[in-house]
Amino acid sequence: MNAGGEPGGSSVPDDVWEQFLRDSVDGVADAPKEPSARAREVAERLRDRPSGEEGWRTYAPPRPRRRKGWYLLGLLAAVALFLVALDPWRMIGSPEGDGGSGAPLAQESERPTGAPPVEPARLATLDEPFKGSPAARWANGAAGITVPEARATGWMSRTQVEQALRKTRDFLVASNLDPAVLRGERPATAIALINPHQRDVKDYLSAAFRTPTEDNDPLLLFSRFEPSRVRPVGDVIKTRGRMTFREGTRGALEVTTDVTYVYPVVRAEAGSDEVVRTIVRREVVVNWDDPSKIITERGTFSLVSYKADTTNGGCDRLTGYFAPEFGADRAATDTTGGPAVDPYDRSTAIADGTGGQDDGCRTATRS
């Protein structure tokens, strides 16, 4: 998409335009998905082309790439419990430098070098829903999302970068921590932060909450549970992750987020006390673009890519809600397929996968 017009065709005075750039933290144009190798090559050529060849026409980023992976809890969890008997606190050590203590972890400032150590075998309870999980030492809610120190980047000043980072975290909170969204309501606050000129995203959002499909699934971006089926345990969601930024295409501020969320739930029936956890790791990349080059709306960003890996979320039942399994459900589920993955291991990026948007159901080693 382009805004049209040529360099000499603007009727906006320079001083008005400069004031707009100073006062607004703006979003991006028309598309969301991580670019393919071909798209990245094209984007690179566009970025390197002399500005005189492009005039003031807007540049539409490649369509955003989406990916979703699902993990079931399987027999490998029992293997992890067996290893506890061999004292893995000494064998495995602690890649995050915790020394095996129960002290809260410092914020994550960079990618860890390995997975957290295996916890002693302990069942979660209503009073201690994170017992037996590395998440017990993670921060609560938004406090677990590390926001880096701002610096002038691309078209933005340090103050504008600081505002954009804060708004990006606001999006993560509104998408994954808002109690109303978690119980299935429409994430209006989060959606309002997305550039409405991204046609693909607009179409996806309009369809996702009405008729979820593999391509249009709200769980790609938002955490939602069906209140008639499950209810949260307490009001704490454990999080761990960080945000990074750099100058992106056309001088945009490109912000990459990588956060894991841990949700403890029980069945909705009164008196239910079996606590299980749904674990969701999301990598979301957004652009805050120069409004002189990209069609955008004030205070919005464009989605570049979004990936999610979910453990105990229902293995892609396409209902638009996470559907965690409890003991009886799990016993009847075949969990033998696919490679094993530790949902608490943040030492590598979420894999792109080879099966398209959804790589199928695989086995999680712990919950």
Side-chain angles (χ1 to χ4, degrees), residues 36-105:
S36 64
R38 171 64 176 165
R40 287 195 299 267
E41 180 181 334
V42 172
E44 196 66 35
R45 288 205 305 270
L46 286 172
R47 183 163 57 248
D48 293 340
R49 185 179 299 177
S51 58
E53 296 182 28
E54 291 299 310
W56 286 90
R57 283 187 278 180
T58 60
Y59 165 67
R63 296 165 61 100
R65 181 173 182 176
R66 301 178 288 182
R67 179 197 174 276
K68 178 176 56 179
W70 294 91
Y71 302 91
L72 295 167
L73 298 177
L75 293 177
L76 285 171
V79 175
L81 296 181
F82 171 75
L83 290 175
V84 170
L86 303 179
D87 190 17
W89 298 102
R90 300 289 186 265
M91 295 172 57
I92 298 177
S94 175
E96 295 188 289
D98 59 45
S101 71
L105 292 176

Side-chain angles (χ1 to χ4, degrees), residues 5 7 46-47 96 100 115 153 174 181 183-184 207-208 213 219 237 253 262 265 269 279 291 303 317 320 338 354:
L46 286 172
R47 183 163 57 248
E96 295 188 289
T153 303
V181 174
R183 61 176 177 262
T213 65
L219 301 182
I237 298 164
L253 175 71
V262 184
V265 297
E269 291 83 357
I279 306 165
L303 285 162
R317 295 180 182 175
T354 57

Side-chain angles (χ1 to χ4, degrees), residues 64-345:
R65 181 173 182 176
R66 301 178 288 182
R67 179 197 174 276
K68 178 176 56 179
W70 294 91
Y71 302 91
L72 295 167
L73 298 177
L75 293 177
L76 285 171
V79 175
L81 296 181
F82 171 75
L83 290 175
V84 170
L86 303 179
D87 190 17
W89 298 102
R90 300 289 186 265
M91 295 172 57
I92 298 177
S94 175
E96 295 188 289
D98 59 45
S101 71
L105 292 176
Q107 281 195 319
E108 182 179 284
S109 58
E110 58 186 19
R111 191 180 299 282
T113 58
V118 177
E119 300 290 321
R122 294 182 293 175
L123 292 177
T125 67
L126 294 174
D127 292 331
E128 297 182 85
F130 301 100
K131 181 186 289 187
S133 163
R137 298 179 54 214
W138 292 5
N140 299 345
I145 305 172
T146 305
V147 179
E149 183 177 351
R151 66 179 184 277
T153 303
W155 73 281
M156 284 185 162
S157 68
R158 186 196 64 78
T159 298
Q160 289 174 314
V161 170
E162 185 175 49
Q163 293 171 340
L165 293 174
R166 185 178 68 248
K167 281 182 173 288
T168 304
R169 187 171 71 167
D170 288 346
F171 173 79
L172 300 181
V173 170
S175 302
N176 301 279
L177 300 175
D178 185 326
V181 174
L182 293 177
R183 61 176 177 262
E185 295 183 19
R186 187 177 178 85
T189 300
I191 291 173
L193 289 167
I194 300 174
N195 183 359
H197 297 288
Q198 290 191 269
R199 176 58 59 184
D200 283 358
V201 177
K202 187 175 182 179
D203 292 345
Y204 153 66
L205 292 172
S206 65
F209 301 97
R210 184 176 64 249
T211 52
T213 65
E214 183 174 333
D215 291 328
N216 296 315
D217 189 344
L219 301 182
L220 285 164
L221 273 176
F222 311 103
S223 293
R224 309 169 78 232
F225 294 86
E226 195 167 10
S228 63
R229 189 175 187 277
V230 299
R231 55 186 170 86
V233 180
D235 57 2
V236 173
I237 298 164
K238 292 291 187 177
T239 61
R240 187 155 183 83
R242 67 196 182 281
M243 298 164 53
T244 57
F245 66 93
R246 66 175 186 177
E247 182 175 346
T249 304
R250 295 286 183 163
L253 175 71
E254 181 183 283
V255 182
T256 298
T257 72
D258 179 357
V259 183
T260 302
Y261 308 85
V262 184
Y263 306 95
V265 297
V266 295
R267 294 184 188 273
E269 291 83 357
S272 298
D273 62 0
E274 181 189 354
V275 179
V276 299
R277 292 181 286 258
T278 295
I279 306 165
V280 185
R281 182 182 176 191
R282 298 190 187 277
E283 290 181 1
V284 180
V285 182
V286 306
N287 271 354
W288 294 88
D289 281 295
D290 184 341
S292 70
K293 299 176 181 177
I294 299 294
I295 297 176
T296 185
E297 295 295 329
R298 180 187 176 114
T300 67
F301 57 74
S302 70
L303 285 162
V304 177
S305 66
Y306 36 110
K307 306 176 189 177
D309 274 348
T310 302
T311 294
N312 196 25
C315 204
D316 204 7
R317 295 180 182 175
L318 299 179
T319 63
Y321 302 97
F322 291 132
E325 294 182 340
F326 294 83
D329 307 320
R330 202 172 299 141
T333 302
D334 179 10
T335 60
T336 58
V341 175
D342 181 351
Y344 292 101
D345 187 354

